[in-house]
């Protein structure tokens, strides 16, 4: 793949160092020369806006009062939440358009699709063709809006999700957009999804690749071999230490979805 060290993907704009998923985080992450791409989370509001925000509600991340913060984000309007700020910062919850505008075209974007603003979702792989079609239909209006924003930029784009419906909808809306299944614990399911949607990458958790000592597991070796044989990248999440980064690099992963750029300090 022409590179001696994995690409570094800033998880939520380096959530360990910045107010996650904010415009300020994007600018800070993009300004670090170790950053190859930035991972962001997209979800819908009740008025069909596409925002960049990770959680299902505002309780962990914002200064919203309980009457608002305990309500699912998809039941709130953007106007109703846009005045609240993230963590200890003065940064508001941004729209996807604002976040992408803050990232230079030279920095890639990993757009994780979190929630389409409707019910009836099935996490992970879907059971059969009929259910798969229905899952894609649930996601399609949101995915259409999100991709309309994302593909209107010149970023190197990769769309990822834990939900097969989101991957199916992405393929239906724009077959040219690269996709990556996010794996929670079922690596075999991730491989199946990658095959079904001709994915560019698979995103497994680092503990699916490494044991507690930092040695690559047999399952990890198999995943890497199968992915690379199919010309798919493996981007591991979420990397928090230099030791993890080094072990994953030694294992042969292609990307590190990292909480801080410092996980690769001293590496080249």
């Amino acid at each position: 793949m022409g590179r001696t060290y994995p690409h570094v993907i800033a998880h939520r704009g380096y959530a360990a160092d910045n107010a996650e998923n904010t415009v300020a985080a994007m600018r800070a992450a993009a300004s670090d020369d170790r950053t190859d791409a930035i991972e962001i989370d997209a979800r819908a509001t009740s008025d069909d806006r596409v925002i960049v925000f990770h959680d299902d509600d505002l309780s962990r991340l914002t200064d919203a009062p309980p009457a608002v913060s305990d309500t699912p984000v998809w039941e709130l309007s953007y106007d109703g939440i846009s005045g609240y700020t993230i963590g200890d910062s003065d940064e508001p919850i941004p729209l996807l358009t604002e976040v992408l505008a803050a990232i230079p075209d030279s920095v890639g974007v990993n757009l994780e699709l979190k929630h389409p603003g409707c019910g009836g979702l099935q996490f992970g792989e879907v059971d059969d063709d009929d259910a798969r079609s229905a899952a894609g239909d649930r996601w399609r209006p949101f995915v259409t809006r999100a991709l309309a924003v994302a593909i209107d930029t010149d970023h190197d784009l990769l769309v990822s999700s834990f939900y097969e419906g989101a991957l199916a909808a992405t393929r239906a809306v724009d077959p040219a957009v690269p996709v990556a299944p996010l794996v929670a614990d079922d690596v075999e399911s991730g491989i199946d999804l990658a095959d079904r949607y001709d994915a560019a990458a698979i995103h497994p958790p680092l503990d699916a690749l490494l044991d507690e000592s930092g040695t690559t597991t047999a399952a990890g070796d198999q995943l890497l071999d199968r992915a690379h044989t199919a010309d798919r990248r493996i981007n591991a999440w979420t990397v928090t230490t230099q030791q993890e980064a080094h072990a994953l690099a030694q294992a042969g992963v292609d990307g590190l979805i990292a909480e801080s750029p410092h996980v690769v300090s001293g590496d080249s």
Side-chain angles (χ1 to χ4, degrees):
M1 302 205 175
R3 180 166 170 152
T4 59
Y5 202 83
H7 284 252
V8 178
I9 304 164
H11 187 233
R12 307 179 201 166
Y14 294 133
D17 300 336
N18 305 307
E20 64 177 63
N21 278 320
T22 61
V23 167
M26 301 304 119
R27 290 174 176 154
S31 70
D32 193 297
D33 61 10
R34 291 166 288 193
T35 304
D36 296 292
I38 301 176
E39 185 265 357
I40 58 178
D41 301 296
R43 59 171 61 246
T45 59
S46 65
D47 51 349
D48 293 334
R49 308 299 291 277
V50 182
I51 62 170
V52 175
F53 193 79
H54 177 271
D55 293 4
D56 284 341
D57 63 45
L58 305 186
S59 60
R60 177 179 71 93
L61 288 168
T62 79
D63 59 353
V68 176
S69 67
D70 293 339
T71 302
V73 170
W74 56 89
E75 296 180 8
L76 300 168
S77 71
Y78 180 68
D79 287 344
I81 65 175
S82 60
Y84 299 117
T85 55
I86 306 295
D88 295 328
S89 75
D90 294 325
E91 290 289 309
I93 299 167
L95 293 167
L96 178 59
T97 50
E98 297 170 327
V99 163
L100 292 177
I103 301 173
D105 292 342
S106 59
V107 176
V109 172
N110 174 188
L111 179 66
E112 182 184 342
L113 302 175
K114 296 298 290 187
H115 199 285
C118 65
L121 305 181
Q122 181 175 331
F123 189 83
E125 190 174 13
V126 179
D127 302 323
D128 55 50
D129 288 343
D130 288 342
R132 195 168 293 125
S133 177
D137 289 344
R138 291 188 189 95
W139 278 88
R140 190 175 302 188
F142 167 69
V143 170
T144 299
R145 296 194 301 274
L147 288 187
V149 174
I151 65 177
D152 195 36
T153 72
D154 292 324
H155 296 101
D156 183 9
L157 179 67
L158 177 67
V159 171
S160 63
S161 188
F162 286 106
Y163 293 87
E164 181 172 2
L167 302 177
T170 300
R171 272 284 172 263
V173 172
D174 191 334
V177 173
V179 299
L182 269 157
V183 177
D185 50 21
D186 186 351
V187 171
E188 195 64 35
S189 174
I191 293 171
D192 289 344
L193 289 170
D195 289 342
R196 186 173 298 137
Y197 296 101
D198 190 22
I202 302 172
H203 292 185
L206 64 89
D207 60 9
L209 301 169
L210 305 176
D211 63 22
E212 292 182 356
S213 70
T215 302
T216 312
T217 63
D221 277 331
Q222 184 180 45
L223 173 59
L224 285 157
D225 181 65
R226 291 175 68 178
H228 290 160
T229 297
D231 198 27
R232 296 190 175 108
R233 303 188 301 275
I234 293 292
N235 300 322
W237 61 273
T238 304
V239 185
T240 61
T241 68
Q242 289 187 31
Q243 290 78 14
E244 291 169 348
H246 180 72
L248 289 166
Q250 292 294 108
V253 304
D254 305 284
L256 307 171
I257 303 176
E259 286 286 274
S260 169
H262 301 298
V263 301
V264 295
S265 292
D267 292 304
S268 58

